Amino acid sequence: MKSFAPVIYQNLTPCHPSALKTIVMESDNLQQAIRQISVESGEPFSVIQKQASRILDEMGHNLKLGAIRLFALSLSKIFKRLYSKVFVNLEGIQRLGKAIQEHPVVLMPSHRSYVDFLLISYIMFIYDLAIPVIAAGEDLSRMKFVGPFLRMSGAFYIRRTFHGDKLYWAVFSEYVTTMLRSGYAPIEFFIEGQRSRTGKTIHPKLGLLNVVAEPFFRGEVYDLYLVPISISYEKILEESFHVQELLGAQKSKESTSGLIKARKLLKDNFGNIHIYIGHPVSLRSMASGIINRSQYNLTPRHSFQRPSEDVLKFISETAYKLELQQIANMVLSPGDLIATILLQNLPVLNYNLLVEKIYWLRNLTEEFGGCLDWPENKSIDEVVQSSVSLHSNIMAIVDSQIILLEHNITEDMTEEMVTKQAFTFLIGASYRNKMINIIIRPALVVLACRTAQSFQKDDIHRSFCFMRNLFSKECILLDGYEEQDFEEGCLLLAKFNAISRTPYEIFITENNSVAQFLYGMLYSILEGYQLACTYVKQNIAESFTEKQYIAGARSFVLEQILKGATKCYDALSSDLLRNTLASFGQLGIVKAKKLSSGTFFSPDAKSVIQAIATLEVSSRKFPASRL
């Protein structure tokens, strides 16, 4: 019931949602687009206009303060049941408030849970900042009671895909740009496009970022602030559902009944949440000297025109830089470190040895620049005990040993047992994966030293570039920064005496714990790519869709696990299999062909054999002088 006097853009009076729709419908841009579509389709202007109005009604939000207050009251109670604490950086709040007053603002949070957008709106309300309007998937609008309530809380609903639908695109882009031009409210969307099921950051989707940047390019706003926000969970609310999807289960449709059934989660504890609101990024500053905006003066504002290559490249680089800022401000928890160590030491690890390794990894993580939430008033033993208790659904301490549940089976394996083992492994991997972007550069150097044919720096650099391209879907790296990433990885390894260098050669120090750990971090991913490549080789004469590939490769990996030939549960994940196919396509190992029935992939025999030869070198042991 607190008074709510939010900071708003240039002290403007926000317009009512219905007035906003009227402005959009009467805009010259949309009217001209409707005329053009009418001419192209032969449909009367009035018919197209009614279609546009219906699209806008389906899409538009209906933000109401009363709903926000009820929303805040409900969330306060729910959060207190689910979470121990929610941490927010106050300097980020202050920066955001100042940014909202000066220019239109776009909030870009990381996306790991449905809780993400609830948290941001809740925090904005608590700190008297303008409530954001949030781009949400259209499927949420069909949830009884929940859909309309979210709409009243600021959600506007868009289709997952609307490629080729000119009218929908025209209504959507005009709706978004009108909100930006008027400074009505901050706009919020997830640049990853969907929740990450694996703990890894998903490569950005560029469509929405292109739309919000358009008013700046066309000179309709002086500047635009993009605000990266990092949301880190000690334990993910939907972790079990995520893993079920990774193992092939159909994604359950969002429904009110499903939400009611999920109330049993209120009995569990999901630890802490850390929200870091990053520095607002000025689009004007980023584009200065890169984008020539005068090109937009030569085209009508209502015209359907694909952005130029330099604009597309700029949008892509901006998106990746914002994701890298999100990653840099992610907070790791002790549970993430425990999962990382345990997955490298399956099936069991001595508890005292775990505590020793946790202390070592905590220091290494901080030295590598990772942010760590570590209780200062507790011993390492207390921290470990507390974290294992929090993640008791996948790990436990038994007889002075820590075990990953379902992995201490000694009898012959069955498909059901493998599925159970994969389930707990992939939940653990979702916490381990949060560390990948922290260690990826030095880890790739270690892997490159192992795959290179000699100690020559040039050979190792070539191998580094190949592995960097191969694993490009597993992490976020900027194109064109290969040399910089290689040098950064070498410097970090040299800092820990993991390598020694001459001007022309690189050697890994024998039995170095840092190098061994980094190799272990990438080994299961590497083995997953080896298995995928072997599967492609066995089906060299066939063409397949992505869906067929994922199902076939998963069955092949399952068969190998049942035979005892591998323990690579990562390779059962549809995310990793999808990434392998994308990387193989990028490297020419498979070739994509679009047909009317969909996209089909055909293996290139020569490239497959070369890739397997390269990856098989990685399975050889280092000579003693190298590791």
Side-chain angles (χ1 to χ4, degrees), residues 234 332-341 358 372-374 383-384 387-388 390-391 394-395 428 431-432 434:
E234 193 169 5
L332 297 168
S333 67
D336 302 331
L337 306 192
I338 294 172
T340 299
I341 291 169
I358 287 289
L372 197 57
D373 174 27
W374 194 274
V383 171
V384 171
S387 295
V388 171
L390 183 69
H391 296 282
I394 61 166
M395 61 179 74
Y431 297 103
R432 173 205 66 191
K434 290 162 68 175

Side-chain angles (χ1 to χ4, degrees), residues 394-425:
I394 61 166
M395 61 179 74
I397 299 170
V398 180
D399 298 330
S400 300
Q401 292 182 319
I402 183 164
I403 64 169
L404 190 65
L405 299 183
E406 305 294 346
H407 285 256
N408 54 344
I409 300 170
T410 54
E411 64 259 34
D412 291 338
M413 295 291 288
T414 64
E415 188 172 327
E416 182 182 358
M417 290 177 182
V418 172
T419 301
K420 286 181 178 179
Q421 290 187 346
F423 186 82
T424 55
F425 182 94

Side-chain angles (χ1 to χ4, degrees), residues 11 80 90 160 236 240 259 306 321 350 359 457 497 546 558:
N11 296 317
K80 286 174 182 176
L90 288 178
R160 294 291 181 184
I236 298 289
S240 295
L259 188 63
R306 179 178 170 79
K321 286 176 181 177
N350 178 272
Y359 181 78
K457 181 180 177 181
N497 298 317
E546 181 185 272
L558 179 61

Side-chain angles (χ1 to χ4, degrees), residues 55-80:
I55 289 171
L56 193 55
D57 287 338
E58 292 170 4
M59 182 184 299
H61 70 81
N62 189 23
L63 188 60
K64 293 181 178 178
L65 185 58
I68 293 296
R69 291 187 181 280
L70 180 58
F71 197 51
L73 176 65
S74 305
L75 288 180
S76 180
K77 292 180 179 296
I78 291 170
F79 288 159
K80 286 174 182 176

